[in-house]
């Protein structure tokens, strides 16, 4: 049984302001109509003997992952929730333990959820070529043939052949200096380390137990105390917090004698920065990659994206990144795109929320858009999906006015439950127990005006919630 293991715990800080903690890049439509997470899942559909995938995701992203799986028509996927980020070695160990529980002979195809691959057929062929080595007990990584002297990727130097398609890994190389990257490009012995792997789940656990026994023992303990919650498997927080933070490369692959590499020729990118997205995208005659409502005049070799309803115009600039969202705008030299994470660090240090939340915040029941705020008031546009309901809750510091724009609202306020239609409104007094539901078959859209001494999202006392939130 071949089980895709999708690693979906990244935060994508270098793609700020579009990628943020609560909506990272893997769940965004940065290229094409589907998100990177969904594109990753789609790449596995035609593989021989493929089973339902296992997804390792952050607890904060559980509903995003579940919803995007359902949008592809994938049901029954196992979603393991990491209570804390601990890098790839522990995340893969969680997936391997789950896979062995399903099938002791399971082979894992480990795929980061935020990569872009242009040649799907080439990728599928590489997986088929790697299967014999994986079945023979090798830990196979996929080495992408470089097409430029890239200093932002790690490299793999291949050694002796194992079979017709696989080679021993002779050396893992950290991100090299430019002159070395140029040598690697022409040598024919080096490939980019793609971070994609194929191996028996049991063999990975054996190698992890040998080379990183502290990680193996801690992950095993955390998995043993996991609990099922709705469609998710929650990993024990206290045990997982003790797991050392380490990558599969450092913890296992650089130490084992059974690391193999299978070359693959396909357009590949880890979309690790805006400059990487610019390289991977379709640029116009001036070398510009543009998305949204944009104008570029006397501007070349730039990435220009508008993610709000306002026109974004760039004049007389070359080699820049300009990205606008409803609440933040980034202007950067394209060569400095790797340093965008420093903006995120500064936002965190100053206690601002733009590093974690968009103005539009998605929830399992729908979304809300914070349109305007001031001293003692806030205005939100709320969308509730058909059949969905917010938690039964109350607030200590604010009252709310609800106005239905379209659809039908079912309102519970203390001991009363009633319906509101288009252009109707109601008032939710401070301290009252209330719930908003959508009993209809189309989206409910409404405007909420909050007023009070404190308007933070933490002034919510949930008394009952169908999504298991507290």
């Amino acid at each position: 049984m071949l089980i895709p293991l999708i690693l979906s715990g990244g935060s994508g800080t270098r793609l700020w302001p579009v990628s943020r903690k609560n909506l990272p890049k893997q769940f965004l439509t940065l290229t094409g109509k589907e998100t990177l997470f969904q594109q990753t899942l789609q790449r596995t559909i035609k593989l021989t003997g493929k089973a339902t995938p296992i997804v390792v995701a952050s607890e904060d992203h559980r509903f995003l992952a579940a919803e995007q799986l359902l949008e592809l028509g994938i049901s029954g996927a196992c979603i393991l929730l990491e209570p804390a980020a601990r890098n790839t070695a522990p995340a893969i160990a969680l997936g391997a333990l789950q896979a062995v529980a399903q099938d002791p002979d399971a082979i894992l195809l480990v795929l980061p959820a935020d990569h872009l691959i242009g040649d799907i057929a080439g990728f599928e062929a590489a997986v088929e070529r790697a299967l014999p080595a994986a079945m023979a007990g090798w830990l196979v990584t996929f080495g992408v043939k470089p097409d430029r002297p890239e200093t932002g990727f790690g490299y793999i130097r291949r050694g002796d052949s194992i079979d017709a398609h696989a080679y021993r890994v002779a050396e893992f190389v950290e991100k090299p200096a430019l002159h070395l990257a140029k040598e690697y490009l022409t040598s024919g012995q080096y490939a980019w380390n793609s971070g994609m792997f194929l191996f028996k789940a049991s063999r990975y656990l054996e190698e992890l137990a040998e080379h990183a026994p502290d990680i193996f023992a801690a992950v095993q303990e955390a998995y043993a105390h996991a609990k099922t919650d709705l469609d998710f498997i929650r990993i024990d927080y206290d045990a997982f917090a003790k797991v050392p933070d380490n990558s599969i490369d450092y913890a296992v692959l650089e130490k084992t004698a059974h690391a193999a590499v299978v070359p693959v020729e396909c357009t590949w990118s880890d979309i690790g920065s805006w400059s990487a997205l610019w390289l991977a995208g379709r640029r116009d005659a001036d070398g510009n990659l543009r998305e949204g409502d944009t104008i570029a005049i006397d501007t070349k070799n730039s990435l220009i994206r508008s993610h709000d309803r306002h026109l974004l115009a760039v004049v007389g600039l070359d080699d820049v990144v300009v990205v606008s969202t409803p609440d933040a705008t980034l202007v950067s030299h394209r060569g400095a795109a790797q340093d965008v994470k420093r903006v995120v660090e500064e936002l965190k240090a100053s206690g601002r929320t733009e590093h974690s939340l968009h103005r539009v915040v998605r929830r399992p029941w729908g979304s809300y858009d914070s349109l305007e705020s001031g001293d003692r008031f806030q205005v939100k546009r709320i969308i509730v999906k058909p059949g969905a309901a917010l938690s039964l809750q109350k607030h200590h510091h604010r009252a709310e006015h609800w106005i239905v724009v379209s659809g039908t609202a079912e309102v519970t306020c203390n001991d009363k439950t009633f319906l509101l239609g288009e252009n109707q409104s109601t008032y939710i007094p401070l301290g009252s127990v209330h719930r908003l539901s959508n009993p209809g078959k189309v989206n409910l859209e409404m405007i909420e005006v909050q007023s009070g001494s404190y308007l933070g999202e933490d002034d919510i006392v949930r008394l009952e919630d169908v999504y298991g939130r507290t």
Side-chain angles (χ1 to χ4, degrees), residues 172-374:
F172 288 94
V173 182
E174 291 294 328
K175 299 173 183 178
L178 182 59
H179 72 280
L180 289 175
K182 290 179 178 178
E183 292 179 13
Y184 297 165
L185 182 63
T186 58
S187 72
Q189 295 298 309
Y190 289 83
W192 289 334
N193 187 354
S194 70
M196 301 183 294
F197 310 99
L198 186 75
F199 41 66
K200 284 186 176 180
S202 58
R203 283 289 298 121
Y204 175 72
L205 293 172
E206 290 171 1
E207 294 284 349
L208 184 68
E210 178 180 351
H211 300 293
D214 51 346
I215 294 178
F216 175 76
V219 172
Q220 194 174 43
E221 176 73 10
Y223 180 79
H225 290 88
K227 296 180 180 179
T228 300
D229 178 12
L230 298 176
D231 296 328
F232 312 107
I233 297 177
R234 288 184 178 272
I235 305 303
D236 183 76
Y237 176 84
D238 292 335
F240 200 74
K242 300 174 184 177
V243 177
D245 183 318
N246 208 344
S247 70
I248 181 177
D249 289 352
Y250 289 140
V252 176
L253 294 181
E254 293 188 5
K255 299 175 181 178
T256 181
H258 295 89
V261 58
V262 168
V264 54
E265 293 189 37
C266 63
T267 304
W268 169 86
S269 175
D270 65 351
I271 312 294
S273 67
W274 287 116
S275 59
L277 186 61
W278 175 82
L279 275 172
R282 292 185 178 181
R283 302 182 291 277
D284 62 22
D286 291 320
N288 296 322
L289 178 62
R290 294 165 52 194
E291 294 288 342
D293 191 3
T294 64
I295 293 176
I297 297 174
D298 295 332
T299 296
K300 296 181 179 180
N301 302 322
S302 297
L303 183 146
I304 307 166
R305 293 178 70 107
S306 174
H307 289 262
D308 57 28
R309 300 173 185 175
H310 298 94
L311 170 66
L312 175 59
V314 179
V315 181
L317 295 176
D318 295 342
D319 302 308
V320 296
V321 171
V322 184
V323 181
S324 69
T325 67
D327 63 344
T329 299
L330 169 71
V331 181
S332 166
H333 191 278
R334 192 162 50 78
Q338 292 284 348
D339 293 329
V340 171
K341 66 177 182 178
R342 294 169 57 186
V343 177
V344 175
E345 292 167 358
E346 186 163 330
L347 290 171
K348 289 180 181 178
S350 60
R352 299 185 59 142
T353 61
E354 290 93 338
H355 74 280
S356 60
L357 294 173
H358 283 274
R359 200 183 79 177
V360 176
V361 178
R362 289 172 172 81
R363 290 289 185 252
W365 44 261
S367 65
Y368 68 84
D369 183 356
S370 299
L371 302 175
E372 185 64 72
S373 63

